[in-house]
Amino acid sequence: MKLESNYFFGQIPIEIEMNEEEIDYIQQRFPAPELPSGQNVFSIDDQTAGNQVKQRLLLNDYEVRLTRTNKNFLRLSFSNNAGMIQAKMWDNQGMINRVLPLLEEYSVFDVEAIVDDYNNQKSLTINRLTPVDEKINPFSLLPYTDEDYNHLTIELYSYLDQLDEPYSTLAKETLFLFWSDFSIAPAAKGHHHNYLGGLLKHTVGLMRIARYILNEQKGHIEAVITLINLVEKSYKKDLYLAYKNNEPLNYASTWNQTIDHLYTMTTGAMNFKDQSPDYNILIVSILFHDLGKILEYDHAGLSHKAFEVLFPTANRESLETRKQAGISMDPLGVMIGHIPYGFLLFSKLLEQFNISLDIDAVHQISHCILCHHGLPEWGSAVKQPQTIEGYLIHIVDYLDSRYENAK
């Protein structure tokens, strides 16, 4: 089997070749989730204002708010596998007090509503909510990646298979331990890769860009500058199209206010121009960099295995009784965040798998995990990257997260 495609404006070639025996092994050890088929997907963008609809939706979150005349109303957010749906419910005849206990207890509702369109933003005004007491198939009620799961998995495994030992064992065993969660987890609640399978796709995306940078014959700094040039070209195109279409220029491009930062980080990386980036350090760091998001976020279908691995002696009763619904911040995970969690998981699994790395490698990977957001004001746990791999993991993360939303 041979997989051929390209990435990042066609600049990065993807070529994966494996025999059937290798593919069978990967698919047995890392199975793709069961996806819905033959279902009619309701998309609010396809609806016309005034349409009456009845749909089964997954509740993400809700809050009671006040109108300008100080009257209560409910603001709600739902999901189905076409995406997010915003809604509101007026407090007619004490409706809110009757509905709030149901919202607290249930996750899935049959929603009867009218489609609204305000400033080209479509939403629902709800007339009736009927709770549905059924086991949630997250892929039926949440958006998920349109990429081929098996292809993403095979590609990821091929990159891990090229690691030296014991890095390869650490990476593969980590992936196997958390596969049921890692394979379906989103990479964010908003911004980028905010759907089931987003974390898998984002992780593969980083590895694609990193491998391109490491394999560029002219050198890794030249490779980074080549990618920035592509960003600049895309940004100019977005601005011109926004200008011609009379769109707001500040929101015309995913690359808005990114160019200077990319050059600043590239300048930092130039301090290490004579050092060759280490494939083992960078690829393992990429695997762990957002792994903590399986603790930072919560959603239907996610297990609590990562909490069990990190805190085996803790009483986890509160986790088992928690209601799961749409993609949300985990109330415990948000206290720590995915960056410290990623470091904790890396440290824990070194011990659990009895992996012996040089103390320098342990610190280099830990540093990459902790600094991958680049700046403290963006959540980085260190002041700035201090290694070439530290700069590169931030640059590839920054590029991939924005390329996801590029026009």
Side-chain angles (χ1 to χ4, degrees):
M1 179 181 179
K2 190 171 184 179
L3 302 177
E4 291 183 294
S5 60
N6 56 68
Y7 197 60
F8 209 82
F9 304 109
Q11 181 68 27
I12 299 174
I14 303 168
E15 296 181 0
I16 309 295
E17 191 165 3
M18 286 189 178
N19 60 45
E20 293 302 322
E21 184 177 345
E22 291 172 318
I23 292 173
D24 288 344
Y25 172 79
I26 294 170
Q27 291 179 344
Q28 289 177 16
R29 191 165 172 82
F30 304 101
E34 185 175 346
L35 302 179
S37 60
Q39 293 188 349
N40 293 320
V41 177
F42 169 80
S43 175
I44 194 168
D45 291 334
D46 297 334
Q47 299 294 314
T48 302
N51 284 2
Q52 295 188 1
V53 298
K54 182 177 181 179
Q55 292 291 325
R56 183 161 295 183
L57 302 174
L58 178 66
L59 178 68
N60 294 321
D61 52 49
Y62 63 92
E63 64 175 331
V64 178
R65 302 181 68 173
L66 290 175
T67 66
R68 294 177 180 177
T69 57
N70 289 324
K71 294 182 179 179
N72 288 339
F73 74 100
L74 270 175
R75 176 75 68 188
L76 308 99
S77 172
F78 293 93
S79 293
N80 67 359
N81 52 18
M84 306 283 283
I85 300 169
Q86 302 302 319
K88 61 182 176 291
M89 174 180 273
W90 304 119
D91 191 22
N92 296 326
Q93 299 178 334
M95 180 68 75
I96 290 180
N97 287 335
R98 295 198 298 273
V99 165
L100 283 176
L102 299 178
L103 298 177
E104 187 69 27
E105 182 178 356
Y106 294 92
S107 299
V108 181
F109 292 84
D110 284 334
V111 179
E112 297 179 40
I114 295 176
V115 177
D116 288 329
D117 191 340
Y118 180 71
N119 286 339
N120 293 320
Q121 297 294 319
K122 293 181 181 178
S123 62
L124 298 178
T125 296
I126 298 173
N127 296 323
R128 185 175 181 181
L129 284 176
T130 304
V132 178
D133 192 7
E134 67 172 23
K135 184 178 180 180
I136 301 172
N137 175 1
F139 287 91
S140 295
L141 294 168
L142 284 170
Y144 57 89
T145 179
D146 57 3
E147 296 276 337
D148 186 293
Y149 255 102
N150 285 322
H151 289 180
L152 284 174
T153 306
I154 290 168
E155 185 179 349
L156 175 58
Y157 188 89
S158 74
Y159 298 153
L160 303 184
D161 203 39
Q162 295 173 37
L163 293 165
D164 297 327
E165 290 294 353
Y167 299 95
S168 184
T169 295
L170 170 63
K172 292 175 183 176
E173 291 303 313
T174 297
L175 197 64
F176 179 71
L177 179 64
F178 294 123
W179 180 248
S180 62
D181 291 329
F182 178 87
S183 62
I184 70 171
K189 182 181 177 182
H191 303 299
H192 70 94
H193 300 89
N194 55 335
Y195 45 77
L196 302 184
L199 180 57
L200 171 62
K201 182 182 176 184
H202 181 49
T203 302
V204 171
L206 263 69
M207 291 186 183
R208 289 170 178 171
I209 300 173
R211 285 169 53 83
Y212 167 79
I213 292 171
L214 268 59
N215 292 329
E216 174 56 50
Q217 290 183 351
K218 293 181 180 179
H220 53 278
I221 297 299
E222 287 81 354
V224 170
I225 291 176
T226 296
L227 297 178
I228 297 175
N229 286 336
L230 292 173
V231 168
E232 288 199 59
K233 184 178 179 180
S234 176
Y235 184 41
K236 291 175 184 177
K237 179 181 178 181
D238 291 343
L239 284 180
Y240 178 73
L241 290 176
Y243 165 73
K244 295 295 287 185
N245 296 327
N246 293 317
E247 297 174 352
L249 298 181
N250 288 342
Y251 305 101
S253 176
T254 186
W255 305 112
N256 188 43
Q257 299 183 344
T258 65
I259 309 298
D260 286 348
H261 177 73
L262 282 169
Y263 279 123
T264 297
M265 287 294 153
T266 304
T267 301
M270 287 177 181
N271 293 321
F272 304 91
K273 64 180 180 180
D274 295 327
Q275 296 182 22
S276 297
D278 189 298
Y279 182 87
N280 296 312
I281 298 297
L282 190 52
I283 295 300
V284 171
S285 298
I286 288 172
L287 180 65
F288 278 92
H289 90 288
D290 273 355
L291 186 61
K293 288 184 176 179
I294 63 177
L295 297 114
E296 186 178 37
Y297 295 103
D298 191 28
H299 57 85
L302 186 73
S303 81
H304 301 119
K305 178 179 282 189
F307 283 107
E308 181 180 348
V309 168
L310 282 182
F311 312 110
T313 63
N315 184 330
R316 296 180 295 278
E317 183 178 348
S318 64
L319 295 176
E320 305 306 323
T321 58
R322 180 189 295 174
K323 184 190 78 167
Q324 289 184 310
I327 298 169
S328 62
M329 304 303 297
D330 187 284
L332 297 180
V334 74
M335 296 181 186
I336 295 176
H338 73 276
I339 292 179
Y341 271 137
F343 165 74
L344 290 172
L345 287 168
F346 170 64
S347 179
K348 184 77 172 184
L349 294 180
L350 283 177
E351 298 178 2
Q352 183 165 318
F353 300 145
N354 195 25
I355 300 291
S356 178
L357 295 180
D358 292 339
I359 191 68
D360 300 271
V362 171
H363 279 73
Q364 288 167 352
I365 294 172
S366 299
H367 175 67
C368 285
I369 297 168
L370 294 170
C371 79
H372 79 263
H373 274 197
L375 300 172
E377 55 265 39
W378 291 353
S380 177
V382 295
K383 186 175 181 180
Q384 65 183 43
Q386 298 174 30
T387 64
I388 182 59
E389 293 84 9
Y391 275 104
L392 290 181
I393 195 171
H394 170 63
I395 290 170
V396 299
D397 183 43
Y398 193 79
L399 288 173
D400 189 73
S401 61
R402 283 150 183 80
Y403 179 67
E404 162 77 1
N405 297 319
K407 294 181 180 179

